[in-house]
Amino acid sequence: MSAAGLFYVGAVLVINGLLLLGTVSARAAAPLNLFVGALQVVGPTILLTQATTTAEVADAAPLYLFGFTYLWVGINAITDWDQRGLGWFSLFVAASAVGMAAYTALVPGDWPFTVIWLYWAVLWFLFFCVLGVQRMELTRYTGWFAIVTGIVTAAVPGALLVVGHWPDLPVVAVVLAVLGVATLLGLWPVTVHQREHPPTPPTTPPTTP
């Protein structure tokens, strides 16, 4: 993923997190999803046409997972299609992200991005839970985790990569891992709906990643 592309993925994940929290409407989030989705489809297509090694193909091909996701979010927001198809596709993305984490650790040995791929695996699994199997009590939890993930795995690394100051060090992977676990554990008690105080359901289903 290019540095600029990663930066804008951070933006769309933050917007989609706000969408899940009810701060941004589906239609308001649609343009950015369509823009970033198109970027994440056109970009890897160009890279694949120029690829000459297996490593270059492996770097470009997974980007379609995210490009298709964001285009699907944007299209669903406009058409009001059933979200469950997107939810089940998110499960496929989550499983693929786990595979990419293993590849990133074993082949290029990039530990920070190994952890980043695991963040994405968890996030897309949460999207599957909310959209695919309608676990609506996880909506706010997923929204906040999407915002954190957008900032720490995409916006900040993308910006640092653009200016050539991304610290590709094992300690960065450790910090990211600790922050991810702390976020997942810390958000649970304050965002997951309690049985005795069920929330008012949203008037429209969430339409993210």
Side-chain angles (χ1 to χ4, degrees):
M1 187 179 297
S2 70
L6 186 63
F7 180 74
Y8 287 107
V9 164
V12 80
L13 285 178
V14 170
I15 291 298
N16 288 341
L18 293 173
L19 169 58
L20 285 171
L21 295 176
T23 304
V24 174
S25 70
R27 288 187 176 272
L32 184 60
N33 277 280
L34 293 172
F35 294 152
V36 177
L39 177 66
Q40 296 293 77
V41 169
V42 173
T45 299
I46 294 173
L47 292 173
L48 285 173
T49 61
Q50 299 174 345
T52 58
T53 67
T54 302
E56 290 173 340
V57 172
D59 287 340
L63 302 186
Y64 287 117
L65 297 169
F66 306 107
F68 293 160
T69 296
Y70 303 132
L71 287 176
W72 203 333
V73 170
I75 293 169
N76 276 6
I78 296 169
T79 61
D80 199 28
W81 284 344
D82 190 328
Q83 302 299 322
R84 284 173 289 187
L86 175 58
W88 282 93
F89 175 69
S90 296
L91 180 61
F92 177 81
V93 176
S96 300
V98 172
M100 283 304 303
Y103 169 83
T104 303
L106 297 174
V107 180
D110 187 335
W111 291 105
F113 268 89
T114 296
V115 177
I116 285 173
W117 274 107
L118 291 175
Y119 266 83
W120 294 338
V122 172
L123 179 59
W124 260 257
F125 180 75
L126 289 172
F127 291 147
F128 160 71
C129 291
V130 173
L131 302 178
V133 294
Q134 304 290 291
R135 293 291 303 273
M136 306 309 292
E137 73 275 13
L138 297 176
T139 300
R140 289 184 60 81
Y141 183 75
T142 304
W144 278 112
F145 189 67
I147 292 172
V148 173
T149 299
I151 293 170
V152 304
T153 73
V156 172
L160 292 175
L161 285 166
V162 166
V163 298
H165 290 294
W166 171 246
D168 185 11
L169 301 170
V171 67
V172 175
V174 173
V175 171
L176 286 171
V178 170
L179 178 59
V181 172
T183 300
L184 287 169
L185 295 177
L187 286 174
W188 186 267
V190 297
T191 60
V192 176
H193 300 148
Q194 301 299 313
R195 292 181 181 177
E196 62 270 25
H197 298 294
T200 302
T203 56
T204 58
T207 57
T208 187

